[in-house]
Amino acid sequence: MKTLLLDPSTTQSVSVSLSKTNANAQELYLIDLLGKPQQAVGGMKALIYVRPTIENVEMICREVREANYSEYHVFFSNILPESFLSLLAKSDSDKLIRQVHEYPLDYVPINKDLFTINIGGSVGMSQCWGTSRERGVQTIMERELQGLLSMFLSFKKPIQTVIASAEPACQYIASEVIRRSQEDDIYVFRSSRPTQLLVVDRSSDPVTPLLSQWTYQAMVHELLGMNNNRVILKGAPGVKQDLEEVVLASVHDPFYDANKFSNFGELGENIKGLLDEYQKETRQNQNISTIADMQRFMERYPAFRSQSHNVSKHVALMGELARLVDVCQLMDVSAFEQELACTDAHAEHLRELVEKLANPSIKTPDKVRLGLLYALRYENTGNVSMVKQHMSNGGVPPDKIALVDTMLRYAGSKSRAPGLYGKRDTFSALKKNLISSVQGVANVYSQHVPLLAETIKGAFRGRVPEHMKAYKGGGELPKDLFIYMVGGTTYEEARMVAEFNRENEKNGLRVILGGSTIHNSCSFLDEVRAL
């Protein structure tokens, strides 16, 4: 059998190998629905797994009419409309389609408690919704709804309680999730665990995506970029050709799974331990003197080769992260970011900000983030105009300086939900995650706690903030809390959720975090700039 995953957003196909489950399993071949098969397939069978869009259905219809395979087994990642099923039936005059099934997975799982719809432009969509510009972003809204409903289907969870923030996009998603789930019995599940969906907007916390990150997963995404678990190292000094593109996925990489939330200092020590273990294995493999030794080596060779690549991958990533931290002076920049995010000391902050904006060693993107963090905190009490002038004097281009005004329109004090800089409780356990001081990475770099932490705490206590509305509710407090962030979430918030789940596993509480996309500062500012 052959598996094909087709992403219509990029119009690219990706071949995915399946392990053979029985002696009759067929060899895998590549087929491209956008063109001709890449080799003759004879009596081969085709297994197709795609999103249920009209573009994909038309491609399948064309493929079936051409009859390049002896039979087709078609699976969709979400509910298939009856009209699409009729199109498939009409195109299948030779009865080649043997089965059509729905397997809901219309989203991208990243961690065991993190998923994304993987769609850009949601920041703009949330701002346009409820205005005359709404029509231009309906495709994005529909994609988010489809992914969110698919998530409940795959978890087999009933939608019992729905609470949404005041933004029109959040309220529309909440009302549509309820309406569509009530119109189709497929969403009816029995569950002894009370379930709540909480829909929030990225604009309520614009600070978290702007901060430098110091845990492995978040740091890689911030400094190198991670897309569909892939990281591009091409162009990095000293990186070999086979490491120019690497995969970081918890399901395939035990070291990454165990260390994705480790801070930078801990990570360095753990990678050294990984390297020491590999060197020990290497020395054992050098002592081959008998046929039995050779046989044992050949049995271990596939795992040894995989281990070699894995060690090289993490060493290369760590090396490049360390280089960027040094080149960009991120220790110094990050410490000041945390101060801007967590403390109120205008005179001291303004003086230090002016110094950093004038420092030629600090990179332009970092100067932009510092200017934005100042503007968000001191919008009403500081001198934002003067800061913009100092940004210009420090070499920041005019289009990036304009981001200050755009950000304040998007998530300034008059636009965002309350609570960003107000007096908030914090999870003491969460703050301990990065307390240890190893190689200079101390608690000073992890003072900030995302606003989402307080939101989660309130949800499990049954508190609905004034700016949120309950669309559907029951009397029980949730055990399973699904949070969907319109406009995208971050790996820092994912780390906080994972820590909460670990701390509260004994209490039977669980949080699943999802978002339109997973932002780093660059992707977040790109979407804000587009406003």
Side-chain angles (χ1 to χ4, degrees):
M1 301 283 287
K2 165 16 179 114
T3 298
L4 180 73
L5 297 183
L6 182 65
D7 183 354
S9 65
T10 61
T11 61
Q12 293 179 349
S13 58
V14 183
S15 178
V16 179
S17 297
L18 296 180
S19 59
K20 295 182 179 180
T21 56
N22 58 64
N24 296 321
Q26 302 290 323
E27 188 177 358
L28 301 180
Y29 287 87
L30 174 65
I31 179 176
D32 186 347
L33 287 184
L34 301 178
K36 295 290 185 180
Q38 295 189 0
Q39 72 176 78
V41 292
M44 293 295 298
K45 303 174 183 179
L47 187 154
I48 301 172
Y49 182 57
V50 292
R51 295 194 59 240
T53 65
I54 184 60
E55 295 85 0
N56 283 347
V57 170
E58 288 176 347
M59 290 178 189
I60 295 172
C61 290
R62 185 167 64 248
E63 168 64 29
V64 170
R65 284 193 295 268
E66 293 177 359
N68 293 302
Y69 287 79
S70 62
E71 59 185 64
Y72 293 87
H73 302 259
V74 184
F75 300 85
F76 291 96
S77 64
N78 212 327
I79 297 174
L80 182 70
E82 290 187 9
S83 59
F84 290 2
L85 189 60
S86 298
L87 288 176
L88 290 175
K90 291 177 181 177
S91 68
D92 188 23
S93 58
D94 295 328
K95 308 300 180 185
L96 298 179
I97 298 179
R98 298 303 174 88
Q99 57 178 325
V100 177
H101 288 289
E102 298 163 341
Y103 280 88
L105 191 63
D106 209 0
Y107 57 94
V108 181
I110 303 296
N111 300 338
K112 65 180 181 180
D113 41 27
L114 173 68
F115 73 93
T116 174
I117 306 301
N118 214 19
I119 186 170
S122 187
V123 166
M125 184 276 293
S126 70
Q127 294 299 290
C128 293
W129 204 258
T131 71
S132 59
R133 296 175 293 164
E134 179 180 302
R135 181 174 298 179
V137 294
Q138 287 179 343
T139 302
I140 297 175
M141 173 61 81
E142 182 60 26
R143 178 69 190 93
E144 301 211 35
L145 283 167
Q146 291 171 354
L148 192 53
L149 287 165
S150 169
M151 185 269 301
F152 278 100
L153 284 178
S154 61
F155 274 86
K156 297 184 178 180
K157 287 290 183 181
I159 303 173
Q160 296 172 332
T161 304
V162 182
I163 298 175
S165 189
E167 291 80 9
C170 295
Q171 295 190 10
Y172 180 79
I173 287 175
S175 60
E176 276 297 290
V177 165
I178 293 170
R179 184 185 68 81
R180 297 186 189 190
S181 63
Q182 290 176 340
E183 289 179 351
D184 196 328
D185 290 342
I186 195 173
Y187 295 102
V188 177
F189 299 102
R190 291 183 179 181
S191 176
S192 59
R193 293 174 57 85
T195 303
Q196 181 180 113
L197 170 63
L198 187 60
V199 186
V200 297
D201 195 90
R202 178 74 271 166
S203 63
S204 64
D205 180 7
V207 170
T208 298
L210 294 175
L211 299 175
S212 297
Q213 300 300 320
W214 292 100
T215 54
Y216 195 15
Q217 186 178 52
M219 203 174 181
V220 167
H221 190 43
E222 176 63 27
L223 297 180
L224 301 174
M226 185 158 47
N227 185 26
N228 291 331
N229 294 325
R230 283 175 164 79
V231 182
I232 304 298
L233 286 172
K234 187 175 182 178
V239 171
K240 296 180 180 179
Q241 186 173 358
D242 64 331
L243 294 173
E244 289 181 347
E245 180 177 341
V246 297
V247 175
L248 283 179
S250 296
V251 68
H252 299 304
D253 188 339
F255 179 84
Y256 174 67
D257 184 48
N259 288 276
K260 60 178 176 281
F261 301 131
S262 297
N263 70 45
F264 190 50
E266 295 168 340
L267 179 65
E269 290 191 349
N270 294 341
I271 288 180
K272 182 180 183 301
L274 183 70
L275 184 58
D276 291 342
E277 182 181 345
Y278 170 69
Q279 289 174 336
K280 181 180 178 181
E281 288 284 334
T282 303
R283 286 193 294 270
Q284 289 179 352
N285 290 330
Q286 289 174 347
N287 298 323
I288 299 176
S289 57
T290 68
I291 293 178
D293 291 338
M294 294 179 187
Q295 290 174 334
R296 283 192 294 270
F297 172 75
M298 292 309 298
E299 290 173 356
R300 294 197 307 264
Y301 180 71
F304 178 73
R305 186 173 61 176
S306 175
Q307 182 187 21
S308 173
H309 179 79
N310 202 46
V311 171
S312 299
K313 174 180 71 176
H314 290 293
V315 169
L317 286 168
M318 183 68 184
E320 181 60 9
L321 291 177
R323 186 186 72 84
L324 292 173
V325 167
D326 181 55
V327 168
C328 300
Q329 298 189 8
L330 287 184
M331 290 286 193
D332 185 37
V333 171
S334 178
F336 185 46
E337 290 172 4
Q338 292 287 323
E339 289 297 316
L340 284 172
C342 302
T343 62
D344 198 335
H346 179 258
E348 179 183 340
H349 288 169
L350 181 59
R351 182 172 59 255
E352 187 170 355
L353 176 62
V354 170
E355 291 175 359
K356 283 183 166 43
L357 291 177
N359 187 345
S361 298
I362 295 179
K363 305 299 182 183
T364 295
D366 298 323
K367 292 181 178 181
V368 172
R369 291 189 295 112
L370 291 175
L372 291 170
L373 289 168
Y374 172 90
L376 286 166
R377 175 168 280 280
Y378 298 114
E379 173 186 3
N380 299 316
T381 59
N383 194 335
V384 176
S385 296
M386 185 182 78
V387 167
K388 290 194 292 184
Q389 183 59 51
H390 279 287
M391 291 172 71
S392 178
N393 296 341
V396 179
D399 63 314
K400 296 189 182 300
I401 296 174
L403 271 171
V404 174
D405 294 329
T406 307
M407 180 65 77
L408 293 179
R409 286 196 301 271
Y410 166 63
S413 59
K414 296 180 181 179
S415 304
R416 65 176 179 259
L420 182 61
Y421 294 116
K423 184 177 180 181
R424 299 189 274 126
D425 294 331
T426 57
F427 294 113
S428 58
L430 297 177
K431 296 185 70 175
K432 292 179 182 178
N433 190 50
L434 299 176
I435 282 180
S436 59
S437 177
V438 184
Q439 297 179 3
V441 180
N443 192 37
V444 66
Y445 301 108
S446 58
Q447 300 174 65
H448 177 259
V449 178
L451 179 62
L452 194 63
E454 185 69 13
T455 305
I456 291 172
K457 186 177 179 180
F460 282 113
R461 292 180 176 178
R463 297 202 307 256
V464 179
E466 293 181 0
H467 68 281
M468 292 188 177
K469 177 181 177 181
Y471 281 79
K472 180 182 179 183
E476 294 183 273
L477 295 178
K479 290 289 187 180
D480 289 323
L481 177 63
F482 291 82
I483 301 176
Y484 187 74
M485 189 169 288
V486 180
T489 187
T490 66
Y491 281 120
E492 171 60 15
E493 287 156 328
R495 182 202 63 81
M496 181 268 299
V497 165
E499 182 68 14
F500 176 88
N501 287 337
R502 186 181 66 82
E503 294 282 336
N504 289 275
E505 184 177 6
K506 59 183 180 296
N507 300 322
L509 305 182
R510 180 176 65 163
V511 179
I512 302 295
L513 174 64
S516 315
T517 188
I518 300 179
H519 281 305
N520 57 19
S521 61
C522 290
S523 64
F524 177 56
L525 291 180
D526 283 346
E527 292 205 18
V528 172
R529 185 182 295 110
L531 296 177

